[in-house]
Amino acid sequence: MALHTVSGIKLPPFSLPLPHRHLGASPSGGGISSGLYASSAFPRRRCGTLAAVVRCARRTGKRRYPSEKKRLDRRHKEQLRQTAPEEGGVAREAGFWRLSKLAVPASDDPGKDFLGVSPPLLQAIAKALKFPVASMLPEEAFSVIRKSFDARKILKEPQFVYTVDVDAKKLLDMEPRTWDFIARLEPRLGIVEYMSDERVATDLISMLNVHNKVSDDEHGTRDTVNNGSISPTRMKPRVAIVGSGPSGLFAALVLAELGAEVTLLERGQPVEQRGRDIGALAVRRILQSESNFCFGEGGAGTWSDGKLVTRIGKNTDGVQAVMKTFVHFGGPPNILIDGRPHLGTDKLVPLLRNFRHHLRELGVAIRFNTRVDDLIVEGGQVKGVVVSDSNLQPGSVDQKLSFDAVVLAVGHSARDTYSMLLRHNVDITPKNFSVGLRIEHPQELINNIQYSELAAEVHKGRGRIPVADYKIVKSIGEGDVKNDIEQVDQNRSCYSFCMCPGGQVVLTSTNPLELCVNGMSFSRRASKWANSALVVTVSSHDFEPFQSHGSLAGVEFQREYERRAAMMGGGNFVVPAQCVTDFISNKLSVTTLPPSSYRLGVRPSKLHELFPPYLTEALQQSIMMIDKEMPGFISSEALLHGVETRTSSPLQISRHKETYESTSLQGLYPIGEGAGYAGGIVSAAVDGMYCGFALAKQLSLFAGDIEAIFGKAQKQTGSVKY
């Protein structure tokens, strides 16, 4: 049999099958003889022969096929035409137009702290509207929705990029000569979009107050008069929320506003005492196991950069409700407009204090210094929790508390909680996460790399230009090189994580025998250092040496390298460190390290021997790739700190998509970062908010449709967007 060759591969000849005839059709009517139908199917694969399988991969984004791009463009244009009023129609006199990607050169813009409509921005708006005289446009008709800074090298010069809403009625009332230009405005996806109503999201508290008022008006007041005295119509459902991070706080807020009796249990301290405990750690090396950078009011994100960026859609109503709730409790209004919003630790502390006061006004019982040691389970359902004073030894003082539901909103460092859940056979599955090192440069060096001559206008966060940061993702292919655990042909993602411009490296250990670090910064980002984690993804294949720990294999993987880092540092929370130039050369030639922002001391160490070779090589390759894009990234002033392991939860607690209830234990509602469904302040808060509404619906406290208000929640199977 003749063989055909394609790119050197020999394949047997094959033919495509003929189409099957519809049932009941006449053989003569289709022009194909009935004898052909018997041979129209693919032949079965024979043993020992090479089967050719032709697959057409689905492409997304910029890799789409040209025909698919054209089809999508036609569909989008048709959708835009349907939503926008007819060109030249009277209906265009009302409504709003959203203009996106309006670029203003950095040299012309008033600067990062100016959030109004400037003359250079009016020129960009006039260009989008094709209006000839920008000075004739009234500033009052425009609202800045988003402002970000773009300093990519492909641009001629750095620029501020705006998204602006145009109030058509106000614009035409104040400047009638713009009518012809509004009438001819052509909708373009992501550039010019029409809205019949202004998209104004409100904060969660105002939204719930409106709901409660409408509910009372429709169903009467919640209380009834009995013999001259007011008594409740029924007992309030009792809900325990374990953990006062973003997910726990927002779940508590929703449930308390809707009428549940909420108890918030936090193993750590309120932010005031927590700040003093962290100060004692930084100055006197005293680690409080329950009050530190990970545990305490606000969660791990409180003493971090306070980033509010998210990948679940920053313009969605759910995210906007969370952001406006932050502003309600004292957050700066600019986080609603800034393209890369962040709060900083100094802004988060008073915000959390205000949040706590509001919850207590709603009747929420907040118990700090209270650790949940066990669940009370009867008949496969959670009936309460067993708690103890977290300042005392485990098991010394126990107290049983009864609840109708328990919301588990712990962080990813609550490893004792994971072990407790396994004792109750809660369904837990290992999840991919990332590990690596934290790299630190002088902030001035990063400013120069990113901004060139504009670096002089940063002024430690007080200038017109924002402090420079970076975000980098690289894919590293391991080829056919086998590692210690027989892992072959895997591509790993290497990326920067929790980049803190103008920040410092901090200790996030919860055990004195383990060492891990993170970054933090204050709102102004005025420190002289810039730090970021450089991490590489790890999966269940990497956890094989720890499979005896079952679902907690990823946790043991973290612990192993945290212990190694502690030994490398020599104890007493000293961090092992290495110059980047030495790390990529697999040597330790520099014994006098450059300055570090880490306050507890660094020790010259062979960090290239900390991880398995395949992880080290992936980190080394990514650093060299970054240096090609950012020349100067590999520098004698750049210092690597070990180790960064707690980028996200190493596991996921299974739950139902609609109800948020555990799939294996009724009455338990795992949420937030510790449960594996979030990875940051905003996504955790949104997850807690959705869970609050879902649980309130089960408890007959809420009859509405949460998705009708906020849209669908983030995907909860497979890869969760953070």
Side-chain angles (χ1 to χ4, degrees):
M1 181 175 63
L3 294 176
H4 301 275
T5 61
V6 180
S7 301
I9 301 175
K10 296 183 178 181
L11 300 174
F14 69 95
S15 59
L16 294 174
L18 295 171
H20 285 279
R21 182 182 54 174
H22 290 294
L23 292 175
S26 170
S28 60
I32 302 175
S33 66
S34 59
L36 291 175
Y37 286 99
S39 61
S40 63
F42 279 114
R44 291 187 178 181
R45 177 181 176 181
R46 296 180 181 179
C47 295
T49 63
L50 178 64
V53 180
V54 180
R55 290 190 178 95
C56 184
R58 183 181 179 185
R59 295 185 177 186
T60 59
K62 295 181 179 180
R63 299 178 65 248
R64 285 193 176 99
Y65 294 103
S67 59
E68 187 180 0
K69 289 181 180 179
K70 291 179 180 179
R71 186 168 61 253
L72 286 174
D73 288 343
R74 287 195 298 269
R75 185 189 305 170
H76 291 152
K77 287 180 181 179
E78 182 60 29
Q79 291 174 349
L80 289 173
R81 279 195 292 267
Q82 291 176 359
T83 57
E86 182 181 355
E87 186 173 333
V90 180
R92 292 198 171 207
E93 296 180 3
F96 296 82
W97 291 88
R98 175 157 291 182
L99 308 179
S100 302
K101 300 182 181 179
L102 300 174
V104 175
S107 57
D108 298 335
D109 195 271
K112 62 179 174 56
D113 296 323
F114 182 81
L115 303 177
V117 179
S118 63
L121 177 57
L122 280 178
Q123 292 179 6
I125 294 172
K127 183 178 179 181
L129 298 177
K130 299 181 180 179
F131 190 75
V133 185
S135 59
M136 295 174 60
L137 295 175
E139 296 179 10
E140 297 82 358
F142 309 104
S143 302
V144 176
I145 304 301
R146 187 82 59 205
K147 181 177 182 178
S148 58
F149 188 66
D150 188 353
R152 290 175 297 166
K153 304 299 183 183
I154 60 174
L155 301 173
K156 291 183 179 179
E157 63 175 312
Q159 59 191 19
F160 285 93
V161 182
Y162 289 82
T163 299
V164 173
D165 278 357
V166 182
D167 186 333
K169 186 177 185 305
K170 184 179 290 186
L171 177 61
L172 293 172
D173 287 344
M174 300 183 71
E175 182 48 75
R177 286 169 288 190
T178 58
W179 160 245
D180 287 342
F181 302 91
I182 293 294
R184 294 196 299 266
L185 199 57
E186 180 183 355
R188 296 170 58 195
L189 185 67
I191 305 294
V192 179
E193 298 181 66
Y194 176 79
M195 305 175 293
S196 57
D197 298 307
E198 190 175 14
R199 297 176 188 171
V200 180
T202 184
D203 65 86
L204 190 55
I205 298 166
S206 301
M207 188 182 303
L208 290 168
N209 287 339
V210 170
H211 169 270
N212 290 338
K213 185 178 185 305
V214 171
S215 180
D216 290 345
D217 291 342
E218 290 179 352
H219 306 290
T221 58
R222 302 182 185 184
D223 299 330
T224 59
V225 178
N226 184 18
N227 296 327
S229 62
I230 298 178
S231 60
T233 56
R234 62 185 179 89
M235 291 287 293
K236 290 183 177 182
R238 294 167 299 172
V239 179
I241 296 178
V242 184
S244 66
S247 59
L249 289 173
F250 274 80
L253 176 61
V254 171
L255 288 164
E257 289 278 6
L258 292 176
E261 183 181 320
V262 178
T263 301
L264 184 60
L265 305 172
E266 169 56 53
R267 69 192 298 167
Q269 297 283 6
V271 286
E272 298 88 349
Q273 179 59 44
R274 186 182 176 192
R276 290 189 284 270
D277 292 335
I278 288 174
L281 172 62
V283 176
R284 300 193 299 275
R285 303 176 188 269
I286 301 173
L287 174 64
Q288 298 291 339
S289 61
E290 305 290 354
S291 180
N292 44 57
F293 280 96
C294 289
F295 297 147
E297 186 177 21
T302 305
W303 264 266
S304 183
D305 188 54
K307 286 182 178 61
L308 301 179
V309 294
T310 179
R311 293 194 294 150
I312 61 175
K314 61 185 178 183
N315 290 324
T316 61
D317 289 337
V319 170
Q320 286 298 302
V322 166
M323 299 289 278
K324 293 204 171 185
T325 303
F326 287 144
V327 174
H328 177 88
F329 287 125
N334 70 314
I335 64 174
L336 303 176
I337 297 176
D338 192 348
R340 297 184 62 80
H342 89 111
L343 287 167
T345 296
D346 51 324
K347 301 292 184 183
L348 274 167
V349 169
L351 186 155
L352 287 167
R353 188 185 302 119
N354 295 336
F355 208 131
R356 182 208 315 155
H357 292 334
H358 181 79
L359 290 179
R360 281 181 167 157
E361 289 175 357
L362 292 174
V364 176
I366 303 178
R367 296 183 56 171
F368 292 106
N369 211 34
T370 303
R371 183 182 55 241
V372 173
D373 295 324
D374 203 358
L375 300 174
I376 301 173
V377 180
E378 298 177 5
Q381 183 165 358
V382 175
K383 295 294 184 180
V385 296
V386 179
V387 301
S388 63
D389 188 330
S390 58
N391 275 340
L392 303 176
Q393 293 298 321
S396 57
V397 178
D398 290 342
Q399 183 181 4
K400 294 184 177 181
L401 305 175
S402 298
F403 295 100
D404 299 307
V406 174
V407 177
L408 192 67
V410 298
H412 56 49
S413 294
R415 295 167 173 173
D416 53 344
T417 302
Y418 296 150
S419 300
M420 178 268 291
L421 293 176
L422 283 183
R423 294 198 299 269
H424 291 284
N425 297 318
V426 174
D427 188 11
I428 295 176
T429 56
K431 182 177 72 65
N432 295 0
F433 60 100
S434 301
V435 298
L437 306 168
R438 184 156 287 267
I439 189 170
E440 186 171 67
H441 296 82
Q443 181 63 57
E444 187 175 347
L445 174 62
I446 299 299
N447 291 342
N448 289 326
I449 292 174
Q450 298 291 69
Y451 295 159
S452 300
E453 65 274 3
L454 268 181
E457 299 193 42
V458 172
H459 298 302
K460 292 187 175 181
R462 298 184 181 276
R464 293 191 315 108
I465 306 301
V467 180
D469 63 0
Y470 55 85
K471 180 180 180 181
I472 299 171
V473 180
K474 298 295 179 185
S475 179
I476 307 297
E478 295 183 8
D480 295 327
V481 180
K482 293 186 178 182
N483 57 47
D484 296 337
I485 56 175
E486 301 291 324
Q487 189 174 1
V488 187
D489 294 332
Q490 178 173 340
N491 287 330
R492 296 180 183 271
S493 292
C494 297
Y495 58 95
S496 58
F497 172 79
C498 190
M499 196 277 159
C500 297
Q504 57 186 290
V505 179
V506 297
L507 177 75
T508 54
S509 301
T510 52
N511 184 322
L513 300 179
E514 300 164 355
L515 190 63
C516 57
V517 296
N518 192 20
M520 68 161 283
S521 60
F522 295 103
S523 58
R524 185 58 69 176
R525 291 173 163 170
S527 164
K528 61 181 180 179
W529 285 287
N531 69 78
S532 173
L534 294 180
V535 293
V536 56
T537 53
V538 291
S539 63
S540 57
H541 296 289
D542 302 291
F543 311 153
E544 286 185 6
F546 308 96
Q547 288 304 312
S548 61
H549 296 275
S551 300
L552 302 185
V555 174
E556 284 305 310
F557 181 90
Q558 291 176 325
R559 279 179 168 152
E560 171 67 19
Y561 293 102
E562 289 173 9
R563 293 184 188 118
R564 291 189 186 185
M567 289 188 289
M568 271 192 172
N572 214 16
F573 306 119
V574 175
V575 162
Q578 186 176 20
C579 288
V580 171
T581 50
D582 276 1
F583 178 75
I584 61 177
S585 301
N586 292 321
K587 63 182 181 180
L588 183 62
S589 62
V590 178
T591 56
T592 302
L593 297 175
S596 168
S597 66
Y598 183 72
R599 297 176 62 180
L600 296 177
V602 294
R603 179 184 182 184
S605 306
K606 297 180 180 180
L607 290 179
H608 57 274
E609 297 179 356
L610 175 64
F611 291 115
Y614 60 93
L615 293 183
T616 300
E617 290 170 9
L619 288 169
Q620 290 169 337
Q621 289 181 45
S622 66
I623 291 173
M624 290 186 285
M625 293 168 70
I626 293 171
D627 189 67
K628 291 180 180 179
E629 291 186 13
M630 299 174 58
F633 191 83
I634 296 178
S635 164
S636 60
E637 298 179 278
L639 189 64
L640 288 166
H641 303 69
V643 63
E644 184 109 10
T645 54
R646 305 187 189 186
T647 54
S648 65
S649 176
L651 52 81
Q652 189 173 74
I653 305 172
S654 301
R655 71 185 187 190
H656 292 289
K657 181 179 178 181
E658 302 297 332
T659 64
Y660 289 70
E661 189 175 27
S662 167
T663 57
S664 53
L665 187 57
Q666 294 182 6
L668 181 69
Y669 297 81
I671 63 172
E673 189 160 354
Y677 293 97
I681 293 174
V682 173
S683 60
V686 171
D687 197 54
M689 179 178 67
Y690 272 91
C691 175
F693 279 105
L695 179 53
K697 197 166 188 174
Q698 287 186 273
L699 298 174
S700 301
L701 299 174
F702 177 73
D705 183 4
I706 181 61
E707 291 188 353
I709 303 173
F710 296 123
K712 289 186 178 294
Q714 58 178 305
K715 187 178 180 182
Q716 295 176 15
T717 58
S719 177
V720 180
K721 288 185 177 181
Y722 296 149

